[in-house]
Amino acid sequence: MLRKISNFAGCRRSFTLPYTHPADKKRNAKEMATREEYEQLKAYARTDGAIVGGLWILSFAFFIGEFYNPLLGFLSLIVGAYSLVFASLRLRRYRDTALNGVISFRRALFYSMMIYFYAALLMAAAQFVYFQFIDQGFMLSKYAEITNTPEFKTMLSAYGMKPDDMKLAMDNLASLRPIDIALQFLTTNIILGFMISLPIAAMMKSRYRKRF
């Protein structure tokens, strides 16, 4: 009988769960929260980046339309400027809605950069489609017409440039493939997005919780 009790106790000891230090539990919980917050941040940034990218595409469409109606060029600038304001407002919304009003500079910077990253991807895809299937040399021909006007040649002389320099620049543009143009715009937009995100993150950072 004593041997059976001893064996039973040994079995209980063999199935005892390993001890977890409270510090390890706290660290694991923090890591889980960090992953969830990161996924939440990406979900918000994807949505906001898609909207900003849509505004950029609209601005680009107005820019193309400027060759037909100069007023569309002004609308292109307005929409482009509004997209920057909109991105800042969406960052503030994310801070107040998802984080209860508290956000560090680093997280605000990362969120803003993700918005512009997703927007730049969408914009690059749209520009590739345009230059690959729609443009068919339209923009280049319009710029060639502008550079051949007497007013433009006078402006070149005022800046100390020669017509041959402009012709070389036009030839370089003509040699670019649609994918090359899209990648150049993608790189430029990501860099500009990072530069714009710095002051935005500095303005939107907050250590105080939202009261209502």
Side-chain angles (χ1 to χ4, degrees):
M1 185 66 180
L2 292 175
R3 183 179 298 173
K4 292 182 178 180
I5 294 175
S6 177
N7 292 337
F8 178 72
C11 292
R12 289 189 63 184
R13 284 196 300 270
S14 64
F15 286 98
T16 302
L17 294 175
Y19 172 74
T20 303
H21 194 275
D24 294 333
K25 292 182 179 180
K26 185 176 181 180
R27 184 174 62 253
N28 293 337
K30 184 177 181 180
E31 290 176 354
M32 180 64 71
T34 302
R35 288 196 298 269
E36 292 176 354
E37 290 172 357
Y38 176 67
E39 293 299 327
Q40 182 188 56
L41 184 149
K42 288 199 303 182
Y44 272 83
R46 276 195 297 266
T47 302
D48 297 342
I51 299 174
V52 173
L55 291 173
W56 285 3
I57 293 172
L58 181 61
S59 177
F60 181 69
F62 284 150
F63 172 75
I64 300 299
E66 182 183 9
F67 293 110
Y68 299 100
N69 187 344
L71 179 62
L72 295 179
F74 177 73
L75 291 178
S76 176
L77 293 176
I78 294 297
V79 174
Y82 174 72
S83 69
L84 306 181
V85 177
F86 179 82
S88 302
L89 295 176
R90 297 297 287 188
L91 172 57
R92 186 178 67 179
R93 177 180 177 274
Y94 166 72
R95 180 196 67 188
D96 296 340
T97 303
L99 303 178
N100 201 23
V102 179
I103 190 170
S104 64
F105 171 80
R106 184 173 61 179
R107 180 175 294 191
L109 177 62
F110 182 68
Y111 185 84
S112 183
M113 287 174 57
M114 290 298 289
I115 289 179
Y116 290 115
F117 173 74
Y118 289 123
L121 287 179
L122 190 60
M123 179 66 168
Q127 288 176 325
F128 172 76
V129 171
Y130 171 77
F131 287 108
Q132 179 70 31
F133 303 106
I134 301 174
D135 184 78
Q136 303 298 323
F138 168 78
M139 186 181 294
L140 193 63
S141 64
K142 289 297 182 181
Y143 276 121
E145 293 177 4
I146 294 173
T147 56
N148 288 327
T149 59
E151 295 83 0
F152 189 84
K153 292 180 179 180
T154 302
M155 185 183 68
L156 286 180
S157 299
Y159 284 99
M161 297 180 64
K162 299 179 180 179
D164 292 340
D165 297 333
M166 182 55 60
K167 184 178 183 302
L168 179 61
M170 297 294 293
D171 292 340
N172 291 333
L173 286 176
S175 64
L176 292 176
R177 299 172 301 169
I179 187 64
D180 297 328
I181 299 174
L183 289 176
Q184 285 191 7
F185 274 107
L186 175 63
T187 304
T188 302
N189 288 333
I190 290 176
I191 295 174
L192 290 177
F194 170 73
M195 296 174 62
I196 295 170
S197 296
L198 290 172
I200 292 177
M203 290 186 294
M204 291 299 171
K205 68 176 182 177
S206 175
R207 295 180 294 175
Y208 303 101
R209 289 187 176 275
K210 188 178 179 183
R211 295 183 178 179
F212 54 86

